[in-house]
Amino acid sequence: MATDIKDTAHAVEAAAVMGLLPARPRLLALGEPTHGEDTLLDLRNELFRQLVEQEGYRTIAIESDCMMGLVVDDYVTSGTGTLDEVMEHGFSHGWGTSAANRELVRWMRAYNDGRPASERLRFAGFDGPLEITAAASPRQALTALHGYLAARVDAELLSCTGETLDRLFGADDRWTNPAAMMDPTESVGQSAEARELRLLADDLVALLDTRTPHLLAASSRDGWDRARLYGRTATGLLRYHRWMADTSPARMTWLVSLRDQMMAHNLLALAERGPALVHAHNGHLQRAKSTMRMGGMPLEWWSAGALVSARLGAEYAFVATALGTIRHRGVDTPPPDTVEGLLYALPEDRCVIDAPRLATAVGDPLPAQRVSPWFGYSPLDPAHLAGIDGIVFVKDVAQS
């Protein structure tokens, strides 16, 4: 058994990852089983550099607010702002404090300096403007879409004015009220104003679509792409807020589903632009159905990776990351009868594993599911091996 598994292991290099796949995927998804560890982000950064230099990848997309990510993209492509400003305003979830993320942005800017636009690297956040305890107001996205259209189409085609949007939105703290996550009655998502905004947003997105040839001629592909992002984000947030205000048992299933749907829509748009490395939690990128318990209720939904894979087929590839220890988090040597335990027995500190061959090697019955002593770490589910193209295994994660 150990010999069979060892035969599936390769050095952690872009060439080894690509060697597991039938062809270069349009979206290469690299998952991580926990957040906040720069060891894993440093590994991601090195793989991205190699993919850029060896495989022609030009975009990296991470699990961060898609609207804030525009700040990072402007900086790496054209030098807008300063690195400090970008790290403060260009990331959600606290990712801007990461030294590895800072190094990624610095390297991308240096790489792009002096290169023509067609060769520049691009950055994208692909998460919605959502945090665990709150969702953003749709104002920024919908106002930006309206402004883009108002500058380029006849006024009579617009379904509303900017003043109408401002009146309907009201104060932003009505939308960002953290109490709404636990108490649907605190949400404005099913108010008369929110319902009207959803209809107006739908009209504005339809106008963007129906005027595509004119808009591409009147602006640029990048400008049109951003307008599409504004539209996806505005309609996604309005839909999310609608379900935040719902009192039915389906509420939480809808909320987790809608977040991954917003992610999937952003990834599919990026796939149109060319090959991209996608980095996020394994759970957002897996092909298998996602499950969790929240407030004692079981939830099931399809992740962004599952939704994108259903659309792109072989042009989507998923490489999960598995870990041995994170001792500063209380994650010690894995039991030998788990997937992580089998990989921990290998001599390599880091390796890329052929997941389908590993699944064949472990046979039936499957290894046990590792139990995490820390809620922030998600071990690999052995039942999901068949839906993984490769595994990056890191034996020990040291404290940053």
Side-chain angles (χ1 to χ4, degrees), residues 35-276:
H35 288 318
E37 299 297 335
D38 271 2
T39 297
L40 304 183
L41 301 186
D42 288 335
L43 184 150
R44 173 207 65 189
N45 291 353
E46 180 56 32
L47 279 176
F48 182 55
R49 292 187 190 101
Q50 293 178 21
L51 289 167
V52 167
E53 294 163 359
Q54 301 169 20
E55 301 291 340
Y57 279 68
R58 289 291 177 269
T59 298
I60 187 168
I62 74 167
E63 186 185 335
S64 185
D65 182 332
C66 57
M67 295 290 288
M68 298 178 78
L70 298 176
V71 174
V72 186
D73 191 52
D74 284 342
Y75 176 76
V76 300
T77 56
S78 60
T80 303
T82 68
L83 182 56
D84 285 342
E85 291 169 344
V86 167
M87 300 313 296
E88 181 178 357
H89 301 294
F91 293 85
S92 61
H93 310 322
W95 303 154
T97 62
S98 161
N101 281 335
R102 186 183 185 90
E103 174 56 23
L104 172 68
V105 175
R106 186 209 63 77
W107 177 79
M108 292 177 70
R109 177 66 202 129
Y111 182 95
N112 284 341
D113 192 28
R115 293 181 186 269
S118 61
E119 296 179 11
R120 290 176 195 157
L121 306 182
R122 304 292 299 272
F123 179 94
F126 72 94
D127 201 353
L130 307 169
E131 295 286 352
I132 293 173
T133 57
S137 165
R139 178 195 299 275
Q140 180 189 5
L142 192 54
T143 300
L145 173 60
H146 184 276
Y148 173 87
L149 291 168
R152 294 168 178 85
V153 303
D154 295 337
E156 60 266 24
L157 293 175
L158 295 168
S159 55
C160 64
T161 65
E163 291 74 19
T164 298
L165 293 180
D166 282 339
R167 174 180 58 79
L168 291 171
F169 277 121
D172 279 346
D173 58 9
R174 297 169 63 234
W175 297 87
T176 58
N177 178 10
M181 183 55 72
M182 301 304 296
D183 183 357
T185 65
E186 293 286 334
S187 172
V188 298
Q190 292 189 26
S191 64
E193 294 87 352
R195 288 194 293 270
E196 186 171 354
L197 283 166
R198 288 187 74 185
L199 292 173
L200 293 174
D202 183 70
D203 282 344
L204 291 173
V205 170
L207 182 59
L208 178 69
D209 287 343
T210 59
R211 292 296 183 272
T212 293
H214 164 72
L215 293 170
L216 286 173
S219 59
S220 66
R221 176 65 189 230
D222 274 352
W224 180 74
D225 279 341
R226 287 200 174 190
R228 292 171 69 208
L229 172 63
Y230 301 149
R232 291 193 303 275
T233 305
T235 55
L237 281 173
L238 285 164
R239 192 176 296 118
Y240 192 90
H241 279 285
R242 176 260 184 266
W243 281 99
M244 284 185 74
D246 192 75
T247 58
S248 77
R251 178 178 186 262
M252 288 310 303
T253 298
W254 266 104
L255 292 179
V256 293
S257 299
L258 288 173
R259 181 187 178 194
D260 273 282
Q261 182 198 42
M262 291 179 73
M263 288 182 169
H265 287 171
N266 287 332
L267 290 177
L268 289 167
L270 288 172
E272 297 175 10
R273 196 162 73 190

Side-chain angles (χ1 to χ4, degrees), residues 344-396:
Y344 197 81
L346 297 174
E348 293 85 1
D349 290 333
R350 298 181 180 186
C351 57
V352 173
I353 303 295
D354 185 325
R357 289 186 62 194
L358 174 63
T360 299
V362 297
D364 190 26
L366 291 171
Q369 170 82 55
R370 187 182 190 183
V371 177
S372 173
W374 173 50
F375 75 94
Y377 162 61
S378 302
L380 280 183
D381 185 338
H384 292 174
L385 284 178
I388 300 174
D389 298 296
I391 299 171
V392 171
F393 181 68
V394 179
K395 182 170 284 189
D396 299 295

